[in-house]
Structures are given as structure tokens and as C-alpha cells.
Amino acid sequence: MAFKHTTVLLNETVEGLKINPDGVYVDATLGGGGHAYKVCSQLSEKGSFIGIDQDAAAIEAASTRLQDFGEKVTIIRSNYCDIKSRLHEIGIEKVDGIVLDLGVSSYQLDTAERGFSYRSDAPLDMRMDQRQKMTAKDIVNEYSEADLYRVIRDYGEDRFAKNIAKHIVIERAKHPIETTGQLNEVISRAIPMKIQKTSGHPSKRTFQAIRIELNHELDVLKDTLDTMIEMLNPGGRICIITFHSLEDRIVKSAFRKNEDPCICPNNFPVCVCGRISKGKVITKKPILPSEEELENNSRSKSAKLRIFERI
């Protein structure tokens, strides 16, 4: 299956980078290369672009899409948590812009055998990096009831998390839960029918929660944001697209902390903690998709773009 992904908030993100044609730019979640192509087309011969992704299919698709830009482009298969060390390996200390487009690509959702989607029956996988040994099946069948409850409650924000975890444990005692279809059935039995009729697909939140846990998505984001801001040249920008409230909260908080890191009590006349601002938040409110984009791409519905500029 060809790697297909409709790039979300494309123009808004690339405009938000305020591109210097001679600069160094990184897309740390490269995907199919949609943002990357638009960035590369604005770079001069002196400019350079680095794309990072952990998904082999994304690497292959983006390599083909960006081949016309020649040596201007470097593509690295890695998780963006290693951005600093991987860029150091190719002699880059600082960059002028970073893009992060979080969440799952259309390709990953639409390729049934990857096991990300609750809309088709397939093995429970959900690995963004298929070199990883652990899969969603391991979480569903091996986590304790308490840990399943924690994951579904914290990452899925599902009010029926306790009941879903309980039903999973009861079902797997009879036989392993190995497919998305089996898990769908279990979740469906755990949520009252009247709620299902008004709240969208019953599995949406649980699938999201398991995927986030398996791929350590929120931990990686939390642990890497400060590093990425540190890596920006003065005037450099980081543009981050989130798709659910958990990600957005982390980004909003990190940007605010880097803009105003002072921890002195409010009644102190001057700052004595010595913490200096790293830059400014460009988007006091997130940028949302236009009406036109929402009509053309339903998956952009929950997207939010936030931008931070280094000083």
C-alpha cells in the first residue's frame, strides 16, 4: 500500500517557521514528507533539511518525495527523542526551525495490518517503530487490571476505564485477545449502549490510550521539548501540531515555562532565581484548521498548532 497522508495545517505551519532560505530545518516526525516538501522548496543551495521518523514506510515514502532536493536533504530513521545526538552525529549543533506533527498518520490508520485502527479487524500491533518487540497485544494481555485502568483513564480519558479494564481481564482469562476486532467486542460490552449511541465509536479512547502507552508518546514529548527549544538558533522557531488535549496541554505548558521560567514568589520585587527566558510564545491561542481544510480532511478536526520562537 502506498504511503498516503494528507498534511494538516500545511501552510500555517510552514509560514509559522518564518523560513530563512540559508537555514537548517528539521521535521522530527517526517511522515510522508508533506511539510518537508514545502520547507525544502523554500531553501537556497546553502539551506539544509533533516527529516526524522521511526516508521520505515514513512522513511521510504519521504525519501522518494524529497529526492529532487538532492544533497540538501538528510533523512534519519530514529525517534525524535534522540534528535540532539542524531544531529550531533552529522555535525549539527543548532537549527533554525523544527516541525513536530504528532499523532498517527493516515497511512498508519488505513493500513489495517498495522493494528492502529478500530475500524478494521487486524492483529493488535500499533507499533510506530516495527523494530520494537512489544506490541499492543502484549499490553492488552499482560498488563495488570490496575495498570490497564491507569492507561485507559490517563491516556484515553475514558470514564468507563475501570469497567473496560475489568472486561479485558475477564475475557483474556478465557483466551488471548489478539486482534482489534476482539478488543472492540470487549470494549463494546463494557460501555452502556445508550452512551455508545451518542458518543462516537466506543473503542476510540481505549485504542488511543494503548497506542500512547506502547509508543511512550507523551513521555517522549515531555522529555524532549526543552531540548528542542535549546537547539534553536536565536530567532529560530518550533511549530508543533497536536491532536488531543493531553499533547496540547504538555506543549502549552512547556512553551509557557520556557517563556517565563521564573519561580520566585509573586511578592518578590525582583527575580532572584536567575532563570532566564528562552524565548516567546508566538501563538497565545493555538492556530486551528480553516473551514476549507475541515471540509477536505475530516482528520484535521482536532488539530492545533502552537509556535515558539527562541531569543
Side-chain angles (χ1 to χ4, degrees):
M1 178 178 174
F3 193 107
K4 287 183 182 171
H5 180 63
T6 307
T7 307
V8 173
L9 291 163
L10 174 61
N11 295 327
E12 295 87 343
T13 302
V14 177
E15 283 165 18
L17 286 171
K18 268 190 18 184
I19 287 177
N20 163 18
D22 297 343
V24 179
Y25 291 86
V26 180
D27 188 333
T29 51
L30 183 59
H35 290 112
Y37 191 93
K38 199 166 180 72
V39 171
C40 289
S41 64
Q42 295 184 29
L43 296 179
S44 70
E45 287 308 307
K46 292 180 185 172
S48 60
F49 173 86
I50 301 97
I52 299 171
D53 206 291
Q54 56 186 335
D55 191 314
I59 294 284
E60 188 180 343
S63 299
T64 302
R65 189 168 191 173
L66 303 176
Q67 61 189 1
D68 291 348
F69 297 106
E71 293 181 6
K72 202 185 292 184
V73 173
T74 303
I75 294 177
I76 298 167
R77 186 176 181 192
S78 184
N79 187 302
Y80 70 82
C81 66
D82 297 321
I83 185 170
K84 189 173 184 177
S85 61
R86 297 311 299 266
L87 291 189
H88 280 183
E89 285 170 12
I90 56 172
I92 295 172
E93 299 283 328
K94 296 281 184 181
V95 301
D96 298 289
I98 298 171
V99 173
L100 268 188
D101 180 357
L102 301 168
V104 196
S105 71
S106 301
Y107 169 82
Q108 288 167 330
L109 284 170
D110 294 338
T111 307
E113 61 267 25
R114 297 294 297 270
F116 283 102
S117 177
Y118 45 78
R119 299 197 182 279
S120 50
D121 193 18
L124 268 172
D125 192 326
M126 300 195 200
R127 290 172 298 169
M128 288 184 171
D129 186 341
Q130 291 184 299
R131 296 171 296 185
Q132 179 182 317
K133 286 191 168 63
M134 190 178 193
T135 68
K137 186 178 89 169
D138 298 318
I139 290 174
V140 170
N141 289 285
E142 294 173 17
Y143 270 33
S144 69
E145 185 173 338
D147 280 338
L148 285 171
Y149 167 55
R150 171 189 57 79
V151 168
I152 299 165
R153 179 197 62 197
D154 293 354
Y155 297 158
E157 298 180 298
D158 196 312
R159 60 184 163 136
F160 297 103
K162 205 170 194 67
N163 208 32
I164 293 167
K166 180 179 153 190
H167 274 71
I168 287 172
V169 171
I170 290 169
E171 185 66 20
R172 75 187 191 192
K174 302 173 198 166
H175 53 79
I177 300 169
E178 297 186 330
T179 69
T180 54
Q182 287 174 291
L183 184 56
N184 271 333
E185 287 175 21
V186 177
I187 295 165
S188 185
R189 289 198 294 272
I191 298 177
M193 188 51 69
K194 64 180 180 182
I195 302 294
Q196 293 187 38
K197 284 177 180 171
T198 56
S199 301
H201 199 289
S203 295
K204 184 176 181 180
R205 292 174 181 274
T206 298
F207 272 59
Q208 171 185 294
I210 293 168
R211 190 201 81 218
I212 289 171
E213 171 74 7
L214 177 69
N215 296 290
H216 308 291
E217 292 172 42
L218 299 186
D219 294 336
V220 168
L221 182 62
K222 250 183 248 170
D223 295 346
T224 317
L225 275 172
D226 289 351
T227 299
M228 290 192 283
I229 288 169
E230 287 275 354
M231 292 176 69
L232 293 170
N233 280 319
R237 288 185 170 190
I238 179 167
C239 296
I240 304 182
I241 301 169
T242 63
F243 287 89
H244 54 75
S245 59
L246 299 167
E247 292 171 338
D248 187 56
R249 229 173 284 152
I250 291 168
V251 174
K252 182 181 178 182
S253 170
F255 281 5
R256 196 188 292 137
K257 182 174 61 105
N258 277 279
E259 181 178 58
D260 182 13
C262 177
I263 54 169
C264 295
N266 291 336
N267 59 352
F268 275 33
V270 292
C271 172
V272 294
C273 72
R275 298 187 178 203
I276 300 166
S277 173
K278 302 257 176 63
K280 60 182 178 182
V281 178
I282 301 299
T283 46
K284 297 304 176 190
K285 288 189 173 177
I287 296 168
L288 306 176
S290 64
E291 290 296 323
E292 184 185 357
E293 179 165 11
L294 288 167
E295 276 178 36
N296 294 329
N297 181 16
S298 62
R299 285 179 180 159
S300 69
K301 188 170 67 174
S302 55
K304 291 179 179 177
L305 169 64
R306 293 188 187 271
I307 303 168
F308 184 92
E309 181 176 297
R310 188 84 158 96
I311 54 171

